[in-house]
Structure formats: C-alpha cells, structure tokens
Amino acid sequence: IVWLGGLLLLVCPLLRWEASADRSYDLMTNLVPTHLRMDSLMYGVILSWFWTFKRFEIEIIVRRCRPILVPAALVMLSPTLIFSLEQDRWMHVAGFSLFALAGMLLILAAITGRSGRSNALARTVATIGFYSYSIYLWHLPVVRVLDSVLAGRLSPNAWLATYLAASLI
C-alpha cells in the first residue's frame, strides 16, 4: 500500500499537469476525474498505514516537529487566498497535493496533542472527519444556491464565510 500510495502521490500531479497543458480549465476535465484526484485520498491512506504499523516512530517524529505542524499546514493552505484554481496552473497541479499534505499535518497535530484525544483540535478534526462526506456532498449545491441568491451582493470574504458556514450546517 505504501509503495502504491507513494507512486500515486507522484503520478497524480503529473497527470494534472498533462490534463491542464493545452486546454482551458474545465471542472469536468480538470477537477472531477478520479485519476486526477486520487492522491488526496492516498495521503490519508498512507497516514493511516503508518499510524497503524509505525505508530511509535511517527509519534517520535511528530513530537520533535510538533511546534511547526499547524503553522506549516497553514502555510500550505495559504495559496488559496492568493491564487485561483481556475486561472493558475500551479495551483491546479500542486495545490491539491499541498492541501492534502496540510490535512495530514493537522490530523497528526490533533491526534498527538499533549492531552491526547481530549484536546480541542482533536475534537474539531474528529467532528469534521465524521461529517466530511456529508459536507463534501452538500458543498456544490450550496455553492450553486449561494451564487444564484447572493451573486455580487457580498464581498469575496463574506461570501466565503457564508459558503463555509452553509456547507457545514
């Protein structure tokens, strides 16, 4: 699993690069196909494998790196505030990998917290994880409704906050 996962972590961004080479951005071509997004899932699979079979080693590494896990994850997520997925090829190719890696770091920070699973970050990540598939299913209808109802009425930041809240609700 780890070797296959590692291969997918390398191949998927290359496939995204190729898919975006000579075409304008299109959701159905560049975002939806499973073979272009499977690496995001694989980050979680690899983390689960290491947590199950190499937990002691992972906990040692995480303890050493703990102070930088959350800041590093936030840095990896920050390009979304600057670049557009539709207009920036780099964002389309590497952005998904950065987001998945940031998610891995946040999960590691949460599950290895000083007070164990009872800390606030662990509870937050566990809650999001529990509802993540439902959030995933609802986020596109929420975008469409918000676009039709609130188009041009809110600043981008207010729209984003509304979108996130509505998707989570």
Side-chain angles (χ1 to χ4, degrees), residues 109 135 146:
I135 294 166
L146 289 179

Side-chain angles (χ1 to χ4, degrees), residues 34-165:
T34 302
H35 69 283
L36 301 180
R37 302 292 304 279
M38 198 176 296
D39 59 330
S40 296
L41 178 62
M42 195 51 59
Y43 278 100
V45 171
I46 289 173
L47 177 59
S48 177
W49 187 90
F50 275 102
W51 189 253
T52 301
F53 298 107
K54 303 288 185 183
R55 185 172 181 162
F56 179 74
E57 293 88 341
I58 292 296
E59 287 179 334
I60 290 172
I61 294 168
V62 169
R63 263 195 300 271
R64 287 186 197 143
C65 301
R66 182 139 183 60
I68 64 165
L69 290 178
V70 172
L74 294 176
V75 167
M76 290 176 193
L77 293 171
S78 67
T80 59
L81 303 173
I82 302 165
F83 303 105
S84 165
L85 180 64
E86 295 86 2
Q87 297 172 350
D88 192 287
R89 190 174 185 200
W90 176 88
M91 187 69 172
H92 171 70
V93 172
F96 291 125
S97 299
L98 280 177
F99 302 155
L101 187 55
M104 253 177 78
L105 295 181
L106 291 173
I107 289 169
L108 283 170
I111 63 177
T112 59
R114 288 183 183 89
S115 48
R117 293 188 182 266
S118 65
N119 73 41
L121 182 58
R123 286 192 310 271
T124 301
V125 171
T127 300
I128 291 171
F130 182 79
Y131 292 107
S132 65
Y133 190 65
S134 178
I135 294 166
Y136 164 74
L137 290 176
W138 280 102
H139 86 280
L140 284 177
V142 166
V143 164
R144 293 198 176 144
V145 168
L146 289 179
D147 276 345
S148 66
V149 173
L150 300 175
R153 295 183 183 173
L154 296 175
S155 71
N157 288 337
W159 188 94
L160 178 62
T162 305
Y163 159 68
L164 289 173

Side-chain angles (χ1 to χ4, degrees), residues 23-35:
R23 300 175 198 104
S24 61
Y25 187 86
D26 174 69
L27 287 175
M28 296 310 288
T29 303
N30 300 99
L31 184 68
V32 174
T34 302
H35 69 283

